[in-house]
Structures are given as C-alpha cells and as structure tokens.
Amino acid sequence: MPFPDLVHPALDLYESAVDLPDDFVAFWDATLTQARQAGGAVEIVPAQTTLKLVEVFDVSFPGFGGHPVKGWLVLPKDRQGRLPLIAQYVGYGGGRGFPHELLHWAASGFAYFRMDTRGQGSGWSTGATPDPVGSTSQIPGVMTKGILNREDYYYRRLFTDGVRAIDALIGHDFVDADRIAVCGGSQGGGIALAVAGIDARVKAVMPDVPFLCDFPRAVRVAGRDPYGEIVRFLAQHRDKTDKVFETLRYFDGVNFARQSQAAALFSVALMDDICPPSTVYGAYKAFAGTDKSIIEYEFNNHEGGGPFQDRQQMAWLTERFGV
C-alpha cells in the first residue's frame, strides 16, 4: 500500500498545532478529586484458572463516579518483596479479555494489571464493565459520546478510570510505588499517555501506535475509523465544529504529553491509516520528559510492531526498573 501520511523528511519537521487550554491542569485535578471523593470499594478475588506459575486475581475498583470497573491482576507465584507495577489499557472496542492471554509481564517479574474498558469489550475482545452515564446524541461508537461538553465526554470517564486503577493497587504490599508504568496500543496507548500526563506517580509510559492524539489533524487525515465517527458526526452537526474541537483539546494526547516527566518509549507505524504517523509524532515531539525515544515500523499498518515491540518494551522497562 502507499504511505498514507507524511514520510521523512517531512515527518521530521511536523509539529502539532494543538494548543493547551489555560485550565487544562485544573480541569483534570478537579476531575480526579471528584472521582476520589465518590468513594467505592476495591475487591481483589482469586480467579479460577489452570495457570500454575502465576497467581491471577479478578479485580473490581471504583472508577469515575465510583462506578465499578473490572480488571485482571497477574502476579508471579514465586515473588519476593515489592514488584514494579505495569498497568495496560486496551484498544478501541476491546475489553480485558481473559487472564491467560498476556502473561509475558508477570513472567518477567512484574505485577501486571489489565484494565477493562467501560462500555466497550464486544468488538474484538470481551469486557465486563458497563458505562452507566447518559449522553447527548452520538454516532455509533464512543468517539462522539458527550463530545459537546467536556464534563460529559466519554474519555473523561475512561481516562479517570485509568488513574483510579493505580489508586486501587498502589497501596498493596506487592507493589513498589516508586516503579509504576503504563502501556497500551492504539486507544490503550492514548489512555496510557493521558494517565502519565495527569498522574506523576507514573515513572514510565509505553504508548504503541497511540490513538487520541492530535485530533484536528487525525480527523482530517485518518483513512479508517474510529476518527471517522467524528467526521460523520460533524457532517450532520455542521454548526458544532468549533465546539467539538474545543472539547477535544482537553483529551488530546499531545496535551497530556506536554505534562509528563515520565520516561517514554513510543512506537509508530508509517503505513498506519488508523492513527496517522504524523499524529503520533505530534505527541512524541510534545512529550516533556527528556528520557524519550520512538521506534518506527516503516512497512506496518496499525498492527505496528506486535511481538517485536513487546520485546523492545520488556528490555527497555527492565533496564529502567532494574527487574
């Protein structure tokens, strides 16, 4: 296929034009304060599996609004002392799936948590967390759910869930609070960037082919959904363009990147027509932390590096966390 977006050297020169709202930090501080005040119980229950070398727990924790959010916690069975925690967030349409699907982090000596995605989990993997909040009219999918009001936008709830997952686990005796990492691919990468941008406890972030970055360009360049949901919404709501993009400034990975001092390992696929590489570079170049790098997969589409990137991540994070 032809390259769908900018290539080098034009890609080297691209910088996102997304601007940071003056009250961006205050908005997210207030959001997290409100979520924590909502309360709710954390439940960590042993899960029934055939796995022998790891321990698996079915977790429920209070997310945005105190709404219960599910997740899988997987720990090495022979662990000693406190472990670095890595929280993984899931791509668009997916949920937490099954606990046996991703074992390489626990097998490498990490406490591994995979968060469910509220209101999704029926596209390509299963989920168990509803989104009980109403919204205005929307295109099918979640990209335009509440998009006319930043207080009601779907990703306000989901990004808050991502931080509350860390709240739920960081106090346990199996977690080293000084070694917290977040990761994810596509939507999961966008969530990881958001969490790293609003939670200073995160010391490392690994966004793979991240979605939800540089919205103004992505909506106009991406060749496939989910950004197309916003295009179709605006095709009907012709008078709402300014309002939509004003809301999205508060949820843009470029602006979260500007807030984070964590170490960062990005990946980008130069043939990606879902998350155009220029939008990934927009977030990468804006990333405030000085320990950052990006790995390119020149001839891959949205699948990105796959197991090659998994291998890169494990080596990179093991070096930084001394596992």
Side-chain angles (χ1 to χ4, degrees):
M1 62 172 290
F3 290 97
D5 190 19
L6 301 180
V7 296
H8 299 294
L11 193 56
D12 299 314
L13 300 174
Y14 178 75
E15 293 189 8
S16 173
V18 171
D19 61 331
L20 183 72
D22 292 339
D23 61 345
F24 183 88
V25 172
F27 171 76
W28 282 106
D29 284 348
T31 295
L32 295 181
T33 297
Q34 178 184 336
R36 287 165 175 151
Q37 290 174 344
V42 178
E43 297 182 1
I44 302 178
V45 179
Q48 298 300 312
T49 74
T50 60
L51 301 171
K52 306 297 185 186
L53 302 181
V54 295
E55 292 183 277
V56 181
F57 299 88
D58 190 349
V59 177
S60 179
F61 68 91
F64 179 92
H67 308 146
V69 180
K70 302 291 286 183
W72 295 119
L73 173 65
V74 187
L75 302 175
K77 199 160 194 177
D78 61 350
R79 66 187 181 276
Q80 296 181 355
R82 295 180 180 270
L83 305 176
L85 171 68
I86 182 159
Q88 184 172 28
Y89 309 111
V90 181
Y92 194 78
R96 67 175 180 165
F98 294 98
H100 61 264
E101 290 182 278
L102 290 171
L103 298 177
H104 62 276
W105 286 112
S108 298
F110 292 80
Y112 169 68
F113 183 73
R114 185 161 74 251
M115 189 184 84
D116 205 8
T117 312
R118 61 166 62 220
Q120 298 187 38
S122 294
W124 53 272
S125 65
T126 59
T129 302
D131 180 21
V133 179
S135 181
T136 56
S137 60
Q138 67 187 76
I139 287 289
V142 300
M143 291 297 294
T144 62
K145 191 172 185 180
I147 200 169
L148 298 179
N149 183 344
R150 66 181 186 175
E151 302 287 335
D152 189 40
Y153 192 41
Y154 170 81
Y155 283 101
R156 181 175 182 238
R157 300 189 288 280
L158 186 55
F159 293 168
T160 300
D161 292 347
V163 174
R164 293 291 284 147
I166 295 174
D167 288 349
L169 297 172
I170 199 169
H172 291 272
D173 62 6
F174 54 82
V175 171
D176 182 347
D178 293 324
R179 294 186 291 173
I180 306 293
V182 293
C183 71
S186 192
Q187 175 186 255
I191 301 169
L193 269 176
V195 174
I198 55 180
D199 191 339
R201 297 172 299 179
V202 174
K203 304 305 181 187
V205 56
M206 299 180 293
D208 289 338
V209 292
F211 183 46
L212 309 171
C213 295
D214 204 350
F215 278 107
R217 180 168 177 83
V219 167
R220 294 173 171 91
V221 173
R224 290 191 284 159
D225 278 355
Y227 286 119
E229 294 177 24
I230 298 175
V231 174
R232 292 191 293 278
F233 181 89
L234 292 175
Q236 296 302 320
H237 299 272
R238 297 168 173 83
D239 58 342
K240 305 299 185 187
T241 298
D242 290 345
K243 183 60 178 174
V244 164
F245 284 107
E246 173 61 23
T247 296
L248 292 175
R249 289 199 302 152
Y250 292 86
F251 304 93
D252 199 305
V254 172
N255 284 334
F256 291 113
R258 289 174 172 144
Q259 307 303 307
S260 181
Q261 293 295 327
L265 177 66
F266 283 70
S267 77
V268 61
L270 299 192
M271 287 191 168
D272 193 340
D273 59 354
I274 291 179
C275 295
S278 60
T279 68
V280 177
Y281 265 96
Y284 174 71
K285 290 184 179 181
F287 196 87
T290 57
D291 180 5
K292 66 178 182 179
S293 56
I294 188 167
I295 298 174
E296 290 185 357
Y297 296 95
E298 183 176 7
F299 298 106
N300 286 92
N301 201 309
H302 195 54
E303 74 280 1
F308 288 81
Q309 187 64 13
D310 291 340
R311 182 175 60 188
Q312 294 276 5
Q313 286 183 341
M314 287 187 288
W316 182 86
L317 194 59
T318 295
E319 177 184 354
R320 277 153 183 77
F321 281 1
V323 179

